[in-house]
């Protein structure tokens, strides 16, 4: 595993003019943010040694280097999911490569179903915390001290300072920003009404099929995280309607510009 991580990091280093300190993972329908990145260099996943390849519609499958908010970034246009058949080491492999590249900040986005009664389709939720329901933990197995401690603390999984910055930016620019707890599930089915209800009872505000494994590994790696969910469907008893992947993509595209603005402004403020 360590050899693969270092081999992949070495390849990427050879492709980049400089090494960014910021990485971004763009989820379903959110890949359009790359149009905001200037001075781009694109590296297709299939050309990167040991890198998985995204199989989901709406995930382009490119690693993109460039400038966003005046700073160099490395963006994943397309991520990997447990439901695609990858194991957790494969799902989170890019985070390990980011660690080997000395990434300090990770920005994550996803599309999610909202369970909070105050949420509407198209809302942006700043993730405060998460509940992990995946059947496999990304840190299960032998722990390598080079990668992190055996029992990492998760009390600040979503960095408080970054969240406060995002909230201030949203307030100053009259952007409606919800916040709450994200429930990570294995998918690929959307939730039943009973599952939505259960996730709400245990403390969830939104639910999706990604993000949690990547955030766990990023924290293990000492990388600070900020994450957003775009609410693309509603899982509230009495308001649940049939949802398709295409519906999710369309809702995400509409909300994306506001999320992109907040993300860029936070990046501008980072002292690197």
């Amino acid at each position: 595993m360590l050899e693969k991580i270092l081999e992949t990091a070495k390849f990427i280093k050879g492709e980049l003019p400089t090494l960014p300190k910021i990485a971004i993972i763009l989820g379903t329908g959110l890949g359009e943010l790359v149009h905001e990145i200037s001075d781009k260099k694109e590296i297709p996943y299939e050309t990167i040694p040991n890198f998985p390849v995204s199989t989901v519609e709406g995930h382009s499958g490119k690693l993109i280097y460039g400038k966003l908010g005046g700073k160099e970034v490395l963006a994943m246009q397309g991520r990997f999911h447990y439901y695609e058949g990858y194991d957790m080491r494969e799902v989170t492999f890019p985070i390990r490569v980011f660690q080997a590249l000395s990434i300090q900040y990770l920005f994550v986005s996803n599309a999610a179903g909202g369970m909070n009664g105050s949420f509407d389709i198209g809302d942006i939720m700043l993730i405060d915390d998460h509940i992990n329901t995946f059947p496999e933990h990304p840190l299960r197995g032998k722990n390598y001290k080079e990668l992190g401690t055996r029992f990492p603390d998760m009390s600040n999984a979503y960095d408080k300072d970054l969240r406060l910055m995002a909230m201030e930016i949203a307030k100053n620019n009259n952007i409606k920003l919800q916040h709450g707890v994200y429930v990570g599930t294995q998918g690929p089915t959307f939730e039943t009404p009973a599952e939505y209800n259960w996730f709400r009872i245990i403390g969830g505000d939104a639910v999706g099929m990604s993000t949690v494994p990547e955030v766990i590994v990023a924290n293990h790696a000492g990388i600070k995280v900020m994450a957003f969910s775009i609410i693309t469907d509603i899982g509230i008893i009495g308001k649940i309607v049939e949802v398709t992947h295409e519906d999710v993509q369309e809702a995400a595209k509409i909300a994306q510009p506001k999320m992109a603005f907040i993300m860029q402004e936070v990046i501008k403020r980072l002292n690197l």
Side-chain angles (χ1 to χ4, degrees), residues 241-260:
V241 296
E242 185 176 336
V243 63
T244 68
H245 185 64
E246 290 72 26
D247 294 334
V248 169
Q249 288 179 289
E250 284 305 310
K253 286 179 183 177
I254 293 169
Q256 178 193 264
K258 295 175 184 177
M259 185 204 71

Side-chain angles (χ1 to χ4, degrees), residues 112-120 123-130 158-160 162-164 166-168 170 175-183 200 203-207 226-231 262:
M115 301 169 295
N116 186 312
S118 68
F119 288 4
D120 295 312
D123 279 355
I124 303 167
M125 184 187 90
L126 181 65
I127 302 179
D128 293 335
D129 204 345
H130 71 230
Y158 300 84
D159 187 78
K160 184 178 180 181
L162 293 178
R163 286 187 283 127
L164 289 173
M167 291 163 64
E168 181 184 349
I175 297 173
K176 180 184 178 184
L177 184 64
Q178 307 280 17
H179 65 95
V181 175
Y182 177 87
V183 180
R200 182 59 178 158
D205 295 285
V207 59
M226 185 170 77
F228 297 94
S229 291
I230 289 185
I231 306 304
I262 296 171

Side-chain angles (χ1 to χ4, degrees), residues 16-28:
L16 303 181
T18 61
L19 290 181
K21 299 296 183 185
I22 301 165
I24 304 170
I25 300 176
L26 301 168
T28 300

Side-chain angles (χ1 to χ4, degrees), residues 18-76:
T18 61
L19 290 181
K21 299 296 183 185
I22 301 165
I24 304 170
I25 300 176
L26 301 168
T28 300
L30 305 175
E32 295 300 311
L33 178 66
V34 297
H35 296 316
E36 304 295 327
I37 299 175
S38 62
D39 305 323
K40 285 196 290 281
K41 177 180 175 62
E42 299 184 353
I43 311 172
Y45 289 165
E46 59 263 27
T47 68
I48 304 174
N50 308 311
F51 229 66
V53 177
S54 180
T55 66
V56 183
E57 185 180 345
H59 292 249
S60 296
K62 297 174 186 175
L63 193 62
I64 299 171
Y65 166 88
K67 285 192 175 182
L68 185 69
K71 295 184 173 67
E72 286 82 13
V73 301
L74 198 56
M76 287 180 64

